[in-house]
Amino acid sequence: RQAQIGVTGLAVMGRNLARNFARHGHTVAVHNRTAAKTRDLVATFGHEGDFVAAETAEEFVAALERPRRLVVMVKAGAPTDAVIDEFAPLLEPGDMIVDGGNAHYLDTRRREAALRERGLHFVGCGISGGEEGALNGPSIMPGGSPESYQALGPLLESIAARVDGEPCCAHIGPDGAGHFVKMVHNGIEYADMQLIAESYDLLRKVAGYEPAHIAEIFRKWNTGRLDSYLIEITAEVLAHRDADTGRPFVDIVADRAEQKGTGRWTVQTALDLGVPVSGISEAVFARAISGHADLRAASASLPGPQLPELHPDDAARFADSVEQALYASKIVAYAQGWHLMQAGSAEYGWDLDLGTMATIWRGGCIIRARFLNRIREAYHRGGEAPVTLLADATFTEALRDAQVGWRHVVSQATALGVPAPGFSAALAYYDALRSDRLPASLVQGQRDFFGAHTYQRVDREGSFHTLWGDDRTERPA
Ligand code: NBP
């Protein structure tokens, strides 16, 4: 019998994805470099659906109906190239290689171009939701040609998460577009996690609440506009106690955050494209600071203010302000992420539909949230898409309502010596965008002074240079 789809690379992600396809009634060919994993999959989960186990690459390719749909779920980087090199010679024009790993979008662009030359479709496909999502319904972001999506889309949509009957899967755009938006998704995830972590820190240090109490606050927030998977799991983690010591779990975990690199890629890309993603970069740097045990030890005796004891009424009011700061900062972080997707789309000619990402991130992925419905509406209102999400009426209003509490939290954090880089950077971005004049005019003056870099004037067209070292007259440049 012929399989509709094949999965090669059967570690946690590939195995769960293959099971997900099989559970949805598809015949799935399975293959792994080390064949024991293939046999183990079929022995353990064979009853869940129709699997065709292949020991060799040739057997695997022969098991697939044409055009072949071959999903690669191996470690990103060199292993992906090795697998492509192994399979491409066995495939025929019109066949599709789908890379479901966390590839860098520039690698995907390179691979897509090379395989297109050989008549093969290469689909760089972002998959979010971790191993649980891969099994029960991930958010899926396939790039590649529209033609490949016609053949692949229905299969992918059948295994994706669903929200309000809509699959969390859509064709994103050509070549690296799928992996690009997956990268930005992860960058936004970093920012969201950092903002939530800052909220916890302030509630603990300034309001003086214990983790169990803060868990209750997050549970309450999760019934409102902040309703999201990340808020929900935060409450779970904060409520958890360590079995050995009976202490709050957050107090026995070493405070050094790790990272696998997609946040870093997001920031590197944003720097290359000139897009300010300060919410994401502060989140990446906050993890980096936490990991520098040497710097922290050397700085432990630096002076700071004393933390006060707040009256319970003031603490409760402060907690409300933290909710406002969190919501406002989250709007900024998401607006920055969307700006990056807009810039990527322009740079690479992808013609991304910016509302689509809000639609397919509502389920299956880590940043799933009620909030994404509002972003989706902002881009699907008809007429011109907003230049920035901050300028969309829904968000403008929310920011207007939140800004007093937001400023209060940032000023308290500063006055009391509690680091809140995410909140502060988001507020600075907000204030910079709404400023009538920025001190960039002075920076231009400095640049013209030391490097004759020229400047433009507010009152006349053209570029100018002042003869700073001479009589300080102005010349057209
Ligand atoms: P890993 O990233 O741990 O990769 C293990 C798989 O890669 C095994 O099947 C292994 O085969 C295969 N492999 C390696 Br390593 N080198 C190979 C080579 N040269 N040729 C052929 N196969 C090779 O697996 P994972 O955690 O399931 O993740 C798979 C992909 O999905 C990654 O790109 C990851 O970034 C991405 N992803 C992961 C998550 C997650 O939550 N884990 C979420 C979203 C995306 P072997 O069995 O023979 O060693």
Side-chain angles (χ1 to χ4, degrees), residues 9-14 32-34 37 73-76 78-79 82-83 86 100-103 127-131 182 260:
L10 301 175
V12 282
M13 288 296 289
N32 192 66
R33 177 179 63 176
T34 313
K37 271 192 195 148
M73 287 306 294
V74 301
K75 202 177 188 63
V83 170
E86 184 181 7
N102 265 338
I127 300 181
S128 178
E131 49 183 296
K182 171 62 174 30
K260 280 196 180 162

Side-chain angles (χ1 to χ4, degrees), residues 61-77:
V61 167
L64 295 170
E65 68 177 33
R66 294 186 56 199
R68 299 181 181 89
R69 289 169 283 227
L70 189 161
V71 179
V72 180
M73 287 306 294
V74 301
K75 202 177 188 63

